[in-house]
Each structure stands twice: as structure tokens, then as C-alpha cells.
Amino acid sequence: DTFQDLTVRGGLEGTYIRNGWTTALQANLVGVNERTEALRYGTLLDEAPLVDLSAYRVGIRHRLGALSAGHASVGTHRMLLNGFQSRGVEGTARLAPALDVSLAAVNGSTLVGYANPLGLADGAHRIANAAVGLELVPSRHGALRVEGSFMVGSVLPVTNVNQGAVRDPEESRGLGLQVKATDARSRFQLDAGLARQQPVHDVAGDL
């Protein structure tokens, strides 16, 4: 039989700057003509919308900090939580020229669609991360940085969008410390760290 599959992708992006404040918005949509190709067909079946939200991010930024909601990449510690991508809320603040703090909470798996816009509706399927960074050479950012991290997470046996897998529920928490250094010309770089992670409530597994 002859058939046709049609996929349409659209995006919206805008930035507004005034008095040192920057507000940014980005949203991506995906539309299909076949219900089985819809983004959320795996969970909603015949109720999955043909046009759906694949990703979005809205945020506000100032020289002293930033706050955003939507698609986020969380964590910078390679042994604890590193670049975990999901939907959530994150914020950063510079408390002093050499001291900064970041906080984030995201969904335990990748989200699409209009439901659960912040990704934090289910406390049993959420990962939170906090980090404190100190620049030991304030005159040159990145010359010698010490960063401490704390992570606590609980995930249900839910897979990412369009992913076939068998997962177990997991719950754990961990602490991490890392040191980063670089020379003035960025020809030499050092990234060292350690982490300790343990399951909670005797649930085995690492995040």
C-alpha cells in the first residue's frame, strides 16, 4: 500500500534585554500526521496529540545570577551527576566575586508534552542537585576552582521518551568534591575529584 508520513518541526526563540536583565524564551514543537508517530504515543496511545511540545526553556539572567525553567542539563561532577538532561528548574547566584551557588531539581527521565511543565509533579521521580564553587584565584576565573556537590535522587521505573528498556526503582544520595585548574594560556588543565554515593532505604543501584 502507498502511504505518506509527514513530520513538521517548528521553533520559537526570543531574547529581551533591559537594564542589565536578560529574558530568554525557546520552544520547539513537533507535528505528525500519523498517531503512531506522535511524541507521546508510547504512553497515551490514541490520545496522544498530533502536535506536541518537544522542548522548551524560559529564563531570566543578571550579572549576579540566573533562574530558568524547562529543559536543563544538571551536574558537573563526572562521578556523581554530570550533564543529566531533563525538564526542571535551576538557579545560580554569585554571592561574592569568588563564590557562587547553584541549585537544580529535574524530573527523573526525559519529558515531552504540555503536561507537568516544570517536571516536578512527582516527588518520587525527581533528582535534586546543589553545588558551591569557590575561585581561589579571583583575579583569573578558572585558574583554581574548588567545588562541592550534593545530590539526592529518586527515580521510578519510567523510561525516557521513545526508549525501550526495563528499569528498576532507585533512590540514592551522594557528596562530591572536585578541583579544577588551568594555566593562563589554557594549555594545561587539571580536573580531579572524589565522590561518595549510597542507596537510601536499601534500594540498590546508582544514578
Side-chain angles (χ1 to χ4, degrees):
D1 294 337
T2 301
F3 65 94
Q4 293 180 341
D5 287 340
L6 177 64
T7 301
V8 178
R9 301 179 185 273
L12 173 66
E13 183 173 357
T15 303
Y16 179 71
I17 302 175
R18 184 175 182 181
N19 297 331
W21 293 87
T22 301
T23 303
L25 168 66
Q26 182 180 5
N28 297 320
L29 300 173
V30 174
V32 296
N33 68 328
E34 292 291 338
R35 189 78 59 182
T36 56
E37 301 295 327
L39 287 179
R40 287 186 287 170
Y41 179 78
T43 55
L44 300 180
L45 299 179
D46 291 339
E47 296 182 359
L50 295 178
V51 179
D52 215 345
L53 179 68
S54 61
Y56 88 95
R57 183 178 178 87
V58 58
I60 185 171
R61 185 174 70 252
H62 190 264
R63 61 182 180 84
L64 297 179
L67 180 65
S68 64
H71 187 78
S73 179
V74 178
T76 59
H77 199 298
R78 67 179 65 185
M79 293 179 289
L80 189 64
L81 187 67
N82 186 24
F84 182 81
Q85 297 187 6
S86 186
R87 182 183 293 180
V89 177
E90 60 178 340
T92 61
R94 185 168 298 278
L95 305 181
L99 180 65
D100 59 83
V101 176
S102 64
L103 302 172
V106 296
N107 193 268
S109 57
T110 304
L111 279 180
V112 295
Y114 305 101
N116 195 4
L118 296 181
L120 306 179
D122 191 349
H125 194 58
R126 183 188 304 165
I127 298 175
N129 185 75
V132 179
L134 177 63
E135 297 286 345
L136 299 182
V137 185
S139 60
R140 186 165 63 85
H141 184 80
L144 182 59
R145 177 180 174 85
V146 178
E147 185 174 293
S149 302
F150 173 72
M151 182 275 299
V152 58
S154 173
V155 294
L156 300 173
V158 178
T159 61
N160 294 324
V161 177
N162 295 330
Q163 179 189 39
V166 178
R167 300 183 59 181
D168 296 324
E170 303 173 1
E171 186 175 359
S172 65
R173 60 191 174 193
L175 293 170
L177 179 68
Q178 58 183 344
V179 178
K180 297 181 179 182
T182 180
D183 65 342
R185 298 184 179 181
S186 298
R187 293 184 298 181
F188 172 78
Q189 295 182 354
L190 171 68
D191 189 348
L194 56 88
R196 179 177 177 83
Q197 188 173 351
Q198 63 180 9
V200 182
H201 303 313
D202 296 328
V203 178
D206 292 330
L207 290 176

